[in-house]
């Protein structure tokens, strides 16, 4: 079988429209967690600026767009062309915006192009030029090779950048700055670039065309190209958020720039292979293995680094908050409402060395702007309810991945964000005072149910961190506050419902109605977000059997919806309704944990059947590869974890719930030659329940593993079957819930508080 890198086509999940997302991805070429991505641009005026069915290329776009819903910032589109005499004469006269775009464009053949994680290549059919891009962390190398079958012409280059940006030409070096922002709290962020041509080639300005919409297109002659001894043009492109001087420093510090093209490509491929090789899987069907590695690639596309290195070798960054150079790490393009569920629990396993850096970047936001981030691109965009970055922080601290000094500062930032109402609508907890006073957010606030549930879960995460750091009093207070979800539980429907200020449920209630008090869903998708105390949610329903009946109703009813709260059909509605899993909308993040809920009711085999169906049917290795938005790699991370047979239902604890592995064999390749391995004794597409497991050669009855179990290395074997046992799973073997050990936890905290009061 081919190496994982060679099997990945980044176009998977790129056939999308505004009304229907099948990934809503772009075919990103970059390096794992790098500063920039590079994408072939086929629709320059659209947020989804690549579509696999288009046959025209407008250039390679350096992009920082995490999602079409967020838009791009500090982007540049680069194109090279070999003009005929007639086109050259056309360029000497002022061009209209339409003529300028057309002159840069060319048809291309998608079937002959290469879209790899670290390599992008296509041929311009208009003039035969073969254009290739090989990225590095803070730039790229570009290679343009003429086709001798085409006539010679006039070599030119175009750049589309912000009208408010600037550019400078000096011989074979082109420097420029661009700062267009699709959205930003402070609007003070941009990127510097320097592009260097080979010896003997210089840039000469032909004309600048105003394209409208705040954009300009530079046309440059590549003078002296005929004298280049090689058979291709090799350009190097370095970027910086900090300054022109930092551009030069980034170039000098890099072990990429200055190397041959082949050496650069080998270095980038090695970076991807190093990431992809953290996990190895085997299966009878190569297509399923290829699907896995595509998903694993997607998990490394975000967050994007936005820090650089000083002359002294210290991390520094240009702050989009203060507008100044600040010390430390910074990452951008991350929505923590999306990524806390899957990405960060995965990172803790495969790149634990990166987790402290990500947390340093999160803390940089609090240091520079007061509040912890919610959705960064490049600074706070304030999308989605809650402050679920709390779960990212708690998960890392509970797993011992964060130094104590960093943990203490993060803890203080969590408290400030939870307890301080911001004067800016983008930050913190909206209605924090009402939430503390009432125990829920009343319906006068939009998305009140989702926000209330998210706040309660964040309270749990804060209590976990408080306990880890020995702040026993606060740990107990926030743990009690984390039970606030009970305020919105409706005994009659078994769903979470909105209340008014007086504590009454709103009169009008339709369980399939989307919007209003719910975020991107209805009561069916949002009522199970009690990640930290699912055993208590089971009890609120009346016990295991009643809760399981509610789950049956969830997946067996029609995938119907009402547009009431939105007043129009949003794409998430259609993405759910196009599939056959009832109200289980795996196409969106709030449903990610739903397939695992039968385990909490004592019916793990029902979860296995549902999970295997989802993994084998909901993902396709095609341009329409995903069942919904692939936000920040979160849906890909769900597949990676779930396919191994593990999932973190409760980030902020050290547990991974056991599902069903779809692999014959799989391995997490740890440091120092250690590994954790999964083996299926009787692999089969038909067998869809786990009958038994052995951990390190011993029978294993629990339905969870701890982080420590996995990272110590070992082997988990599963035996599959067709008909499950009808005996319910006893409570002690079920995954973490406060209700399972809640009284013991409270008694422990009481003892700690008492000991501290007496100076013990």
């Amino acid at each position: 079988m081919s190496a994982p890198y060679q099997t990945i086509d980044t176009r998977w999940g790129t056939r999308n429209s505004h009304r229907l997302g099948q990934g809503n991805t772009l075919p990103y070429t970059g390096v794992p967690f790098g500063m920039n991505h590079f994408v072939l641009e086929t629709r320059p005026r659209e947020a989804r600026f690549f579509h696999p069915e288009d046959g025209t290329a407008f250039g390679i776009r350096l992009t920082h767009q995490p999602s079409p819903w967020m838009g791009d910032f500090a982007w540049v589109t680069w194109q090279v062309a070999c003009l005929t005499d007639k086109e050259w004469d056309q360029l000497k006269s002022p061009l209209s915006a339409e003529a300028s775009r057309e002159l840069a464009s060319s048809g291309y053949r998608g079937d002959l192009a290469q879209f790899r994680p670290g390599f992008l290549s296509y041929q311009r059919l208009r003039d035969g030029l073969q254009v290739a891009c090989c990225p590095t962390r803070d730039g790229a190398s570009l290679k343009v090779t003429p086709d001798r079958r085409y006539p010679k012409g006039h070599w030119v280059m175009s750049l589309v950048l912000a009208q408010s940006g600037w550019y400078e030409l000096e011989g074979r070096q082109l420097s420029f700055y661009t700062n267009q922002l699709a959205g930003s709290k402070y609007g003070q962020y941009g990127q510097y670039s320097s592009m260097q041509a080979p010896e003997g080639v210089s840039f000469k300005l032909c004309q600048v065309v105003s394209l409208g919409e705040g954009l300009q297109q530079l046309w440059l002659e590549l003078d002296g190209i005929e004298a280049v001894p090689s058979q291709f043009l090799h350009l190097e492109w370095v970027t910086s958020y900090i300054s022109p001087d930092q551009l030069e420093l980034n170039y000098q510090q890099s072990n990429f720039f200055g190397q041959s093209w082949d050496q650069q490509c080998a270095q980038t491929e090695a970076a991807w292979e190093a990431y992809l090789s953290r996990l190895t899987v085997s299966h009878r069907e190569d297509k399923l293995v290829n699907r896995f590695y595509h998903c694993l690639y997607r998990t490394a596309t975000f967050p994007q680094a936005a820090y650089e290195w000083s002359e002294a070798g210290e991390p520094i960054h240009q702050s989009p908050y203060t507008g100044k150079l600040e010390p430390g790490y910074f990452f951008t393009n991350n929505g923590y409402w999306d990524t806390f569920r899957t990405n960060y629990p995965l990172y803790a396993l495969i790149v634990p060395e990166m987790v402290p850096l990500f947390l340093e970047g999160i803390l940089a936001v609090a240091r520079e702007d007061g509040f912890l981030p919610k959705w960064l691109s490049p600074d706070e965009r304030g999308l989605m309810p809650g402050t679920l970055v709390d779960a990212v922080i708690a998960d890392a601290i509970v797993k011992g991945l964060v130094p104590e000094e960093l943990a203490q500062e993060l803890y203080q930032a969590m408290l400030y964000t939870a307890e301080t109402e911001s004067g800016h609508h983008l930050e913190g907890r909206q209605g924090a005072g009402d939430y503390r006073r009432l125990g829920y957010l009343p319906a006068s606030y939009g998305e009140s149910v989702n926000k209330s549930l998210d706040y309660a879960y964040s309270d749990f995460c804060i209590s976990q961190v408080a306990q880890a750091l020995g702040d026993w009093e606060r740990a107990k207070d926030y743990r009690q506050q984390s039970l606030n979800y009970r305020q919105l539980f409706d005994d009659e429907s078994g769903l979470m419902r909105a209340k008014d200020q007086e504590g009454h449920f709103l009169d009008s209630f339709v369980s399939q109605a989307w919007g209003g008090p719910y975020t991107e869903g209805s009561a069916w998708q949002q009522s199970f977000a009690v990640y930290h105390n699912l055993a208590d949610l089971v009890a609120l329903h009346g016990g295991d059997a009643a809760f399981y009946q509610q789950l049956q109703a969830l997946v067996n009813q029609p995938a119907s919806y009402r547009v009431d709260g939105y007043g129009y059909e949003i794409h998430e509605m259609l993405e759910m309704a196009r599939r056959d899993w009832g109200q289980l909308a795996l196409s969106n993040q709030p449903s990610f944990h739903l397939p695992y809920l039968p385990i909490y009711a004592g019916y793990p085999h029902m979860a296995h059947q549902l999970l295997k169906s989802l993994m084998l049917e909901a993902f396709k290795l095609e341009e329409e590869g995903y069942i919904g938005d692939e936000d920040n790699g979160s849906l890909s991370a769900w597949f990676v974890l779930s396919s191994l047979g593990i999932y973190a239902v409760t980030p902020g604890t050290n547990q991974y719930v056991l599902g069903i592995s779809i692999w014959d064999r799989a391995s997490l390749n740890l440091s120092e030659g250690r590994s954790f391995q999964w083996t299926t004794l009787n692999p089969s597409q038909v067998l869809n329940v786990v009958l038994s497991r052995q951990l390190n050669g011993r029978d294993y009855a629990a339905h969870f593993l701890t982080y420590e179990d996995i990272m110590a290395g070992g082997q988990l074997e599963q035996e599959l079957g067709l008909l499950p046992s009808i005996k319910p799973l006893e409570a002690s073997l079920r995954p973490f819930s406060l209700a399972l050990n809640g009284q013991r936890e409270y008694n422990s905290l009481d003892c700690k508080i008492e000991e501290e009061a007496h100076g013990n």
Side-chain angles (χ1 to χ4, degrees):
M1 190 181 74
S2 301
Y5 174 85
Q6 297 296 335
T7 69
I8 297 170
D9 188 320
T10 61
R11 288 171 288 191
W12 186 32
T14 60
R15 184 176 285 127
N16 301 285
S17 66
H18 180 78
R19 294 297 299 273
L20 177 63
Q22 299 181 108
N24 262 322
T25 67
L26 289 167
Y28 294 123
T29 292
V31 298
F33 309 112
M35 188 183 292
N36 313 296
H37 290 134
F38 297 86
V39 172
L40 189 66
E41 186 180 78
T42 67
R43 297 185 178 183
R45 292 183 176 88
E46 298 186 19
R48 295 165 185 81
F49 50 83
F50 173 86
H51 195 283
E53 294 176 359
D54 294 336
T56 301
F58 290 84
I60 293 176
R61 181 157 165 170
L62 180 153
T63 176
H64 307 103
Q65 177 168 296
S67 161
W69 311 113
M70 302 302 293
D72 209 346
F73 68 88
W75 60 270
V76 179
T77 299
W78 169 84
Q79 180 69 294
V80 68
C82 189
L83 304 183
T84 65
D85 290 340
K86 184 176 181 179
E87 290 169 332
W88 177 246
D89 290 338
Q90 183 184 0
L91 185 59
K92 292 178 181 179
S93 303
L95 293 171
S96 67
E98 183 178 355
S100 186
R101 286 192 187 275
E102 197 286 327
L103 188 60
S105 68
S106 173
Y108 84 103
R109 286 182 58 179
D111 60 324
L112 299 180
Q114 292 190 60
F115 290 79
R116 298 276 178 258
F119 185 79
L120 171 62
S121 175
Y122 71 100
Q123 185 174 35
R124 287 172 48 90
L125 301 180
R126 184 168 182 162
D127 48 32
L129 296 182
Q130 186 74 33
V131 183
C133 172
C134 174
T136 186
R137 182 189 175 279
D138 51 7
S141 191
L142 305 167
K143 179 182 179 182
V144 186
T145 308
D147 188 328
R148 61 182 178 81
R149 297 171 299 172
Y150 285 71
K152 293 184 178 181
H154 304 270
W155 283 59
V156 296
M157 191 176 86
S158 86
L159 287 174
V160 176
L161 65 157
Q163 191 88 45
S164 56
W166 54 257
Y167 58 91
E168 291 181 354
L169 300 173
E170 188 175 338
R172 66 189 188 103
Q173 185 162 317
L174 166 66
S175 302
F176 53 94
Y177 174 81
T178 191
N179 61 349
Q180 63 274 56
L181 296 160
S184 171
K185 180 181 177 183
Y186 292 107
Q188 52 184 1
Y189 207 57
Q191 191 174 62
Y192 301 89
S193 285
S194 177
M195 194 172 286
Q196 186 167 289
E199 291 284 352
V201 178
S202 61
F203 298 104
K204 290 187 176 180
L205 184 66
C206 297
Q207 68 168 293
V208 179
V209 181
S210 176
L211 299 178
E213 301 174 340
L215 300 173
Q216 59 181 332
Q217 186 165 18
L218 276 59
W219 282 98
L220 304 150
E221 179 187 2
L222 292 166
D223 188 45
I225 189 72
E226 297 82 4
V228 174
S230 66
Q231 299 300 306
F232 59 86
L233 173 68
H234 187 186
L235 301 171
E236 293 188 317
W237 185 354
V238 62
T239 63
S240 169
Y241 288 118
I242 295 174
S243 69
D245 290 339
Q246 185 70 34
L247 284 172
E248 182 61 29
L249 186 58
N250 290 352
Y251 187 92
Q252 293 172 357
Q253 291 174 336
S254 172
N255 61 357
F256 177 89
F257 295 116
Q259 302 296 312
S260 71
W261 170 258
D262 289 343
Q263 289 171 325
Q264 290 172 332
C265 291
Q267 186 180 125
T268 298
E269 182 172 341
W272 276 110
E273 288 290 5
Y275 184 81
L276 298 171
S277 66
R278 297 291 178 106
L279 287 166
T280 53
V281 297
S282 64
H283 193 275
R284 301 169 303 289
E285 294 186 16
D286 286 349
K287 191 172 183 179
L288 194 60
V289 175
N290 296 346
R291 185 186 307 170
F292 176 87
Y293 283 112
H294 179 95
C295 286
L296 188 56
Y297 138 75
R298 283 284 312 169
T299 67
T301 53
F302 299 102
Q304 287 185 281
Y307 66 92
E308 298 163 60
W309 299 99
S310 70
E311 284 192 81
E314 298 293 330
I316 53 176
H317 65 274
Q318 182 71 17
S319 170
Y321 294 95
T322 67
K324 301 176 183 177
L325 185 64
E326 302 286 356
Y329 296 94
F330 182 63
F331 293 84
T332 189
N333 283 336
N334 216 229
Y336 298 101
W337 189 83
D338 301 309
T339 57
F340 88 88
R341 309 163 198 267
T342 55
N343 297 59
Y344 286 93
L346 176 64
Y347 299 151
L349 295 172
I350 64 173
V351 283
E353 70 279 7
M354 289 293 297
V355 174
L357 308 191
F358 294 146
L359 272 289
E360 285 271 13
I362 289 168
L363 183 57
V365 177
R367 285 171 175 165
E368 294 159 24
D369 205 43
F371 291 86
L372 288 167
K374 298 166 73 172
W375 226 122
L376 296 177
S377 184
D379 55 9
E380 186 58 68
R381 301 288 292 277
L383 277 72
M384 313 316 296
T387 54
L388 291 173
V389 70
D390 293 322
V392 176
I393 296 169
D395 199 60
I397 290 175
V398 167
K399 288 172 178 168
L401 298 175
V402 181
E404 184 173 354
E405 184 178 350
L406 175 58
Q408 288 285 359
E409 195 172 352
L410 284 163
Y411 175 49
Q412 294 304 315
M414 294 171 83
L415 293 173
Y416 181 85
T417 301
E419 298 172 0
T420 307
E421 287 207 57
S422 172
H424 201 291
H425 70 281
L426 297 179
E427 299 169 327
R429 295 187 180 185
Q430 185 184 18
D434 283 339
Y435 170 76
R436 289 195 301 273
R437 177 173 60 87
L438 299 172
Y440 63 92
L441 211 58
S444 54
Y445 294 91
E447 303 177 325
S448 61
V449 170
N450 274 78
K451 288 173 181 173
S452 297
L453 297 180
D454 287 351
Y455 293 174
Y457 176 53
S458 278
D459 290 339
F460 165 76
C461 292
I462 293 171
S463 77
Q464 289 288 90
V465 174
Q467 188 170 344
L469 298 177
D471 189 350
W472 314 116
E473 193 77 58
R474 271 211 183 92
K476 186 175 182 181
D477 290 345
Y478 271 95
R479 185 150 299 187
Q480 183 62 40
Q481 198 165 283
S482 77
L483 303 179
N484 281 342
Y485 60 85
R486 293 173 175 172
Q487 300 275 357
L488 299 182
F489 183 77
D490 173 26
D491 293 331
E492 185 175 342
S493 66
L495 299 170
M496 300 289 180
R497 291 181 53 190
K499 283 184 174 180
D500 60 20
Q501 289 273 2
E502 286 69 43
H504 303 125
F505 286 121
L506 299 189
D507 290 336
S508 59
F509 175 67
V510 178
S511 64
Q512 292 89 4
W514 282 48
Y518 306 105
T519 304
E520 295 180 357
S522 71
W524 281 106
Q525 292 80 43
Q526 313 304 340
S527 292
F528 301 91
V530 187
Y531 312 105
H532 56 298
N533 209 5
L534 285 162
D536 188 51
L537 187 62
V538 171
L540 289 174
H541 278 80
D544 290 348
F547 185 71
Y548 183 70
Q549 287 177 355
Q550 186 79 328
L551 296 179
Q552 284 182 305
L554 171 78
V555 299
N556 289 333
Q557 65 179 289
S560 59
Y561 55 87
R562 292 267 298 268
V563 303
D564 299 26
Y566 289 98
Y568 55 90
E569 188 177 74
I570 64 172
H571 68 97
E572 287 91 350
M573 298 172 185
L574 181 57
E575 288 153 12
M576 178 193 73
R578 293 175 74 243
R579 304 292 175 169
D580 296 322
W581 291 292
Q583 295 289 329
L584 196 164
L586 193 70
S587 48
N588 206 20
Q589 287 78 15
S591 288
F592 280 4
H593 70 303
L594 298 186
Y596 291 89
L597 294 191
I599 300 171
Y600 292 82
Y603 301 99
H605 305 105
M606 305 309 170
H608 302 162
Q609 294 175 5
L610 187 55
L611 284 162
K612 193 161 186 177
S613 170
L614 287 164
M615 287 185 281
L616 296 181
E617 300 297 330
F619 298 81
K620 298 179 180 179
L621 201 62
E622 300 166 359
E623 284 90 350
E624 57 273 84
Y626 292 96
I627 55 176
D629 274 2
E630 220 292 275
D631 294 312
N632 282 172
S634 57
L635 188 52
S636 283
W638 184 93
F639 179 82
V640 169
L641 287 168
S642 294
S643 74
L644 295 171
I646 58 175
Y647 187 78
V649 171
T650 315
T653 70
N654 69 340
Q655 285 191 11
Y656 291 82
V657 178
L658 288 174
I660 180 170
S661 172
I662 62 173
W663 306 114
D664 299 352
R665 290 176 301 280
S667 177
L668 168 63
N669 302 309
L670 303 164
S671 60
E672 300 174 352
R674 294 175 296 115
S675 67
F676 189 90
Q677 299 180 359
W678 291 263
T679 302
T680 302
L681 298 178
N682 53 339
S684 167
Q685 296 289 80
V686 176
L687 304 178
N688 59 2
V689 296
V690 178
L691 298 180
S692 65
R693 297 185 182 93
Q694 283 199 338
L695 178 62
N696 299 327
R698 296 185 176 183
D699 290 345
Y700 191 74
H703 284 255
F704 58 87
L705 289 173
T706 68
Y707 181 68
E708 293 77 15
D709 289 335
I710 298 172
M711 299 306 283
Q715 184 173 36
L716 183 70
E717 295 180 334
Q718 65 176 13
E719 180 185 2
L720 302 182
L722 192 59
L723 289 176
S725 167
I726 60 173
K727 182 181 178 181
L729 182 68
E730 61 183 85
S732 63
L733 300 177
R734 301 179 192 181
F736 175 90
S737 282
L738 279 179
L740 291 180
N741 57 359
Q743 192 58 52
R744 185 176 72 247
E745 290 280 354
Y746 278 112
N747 292 342
S748 174
L749 290 171
D750 280 335
C751 290
K752 294 291 187 181
I753 294 167
E754 187 71 18
E755 289 172 7
E756 197 169 79
H758 288 85
N760 295 331

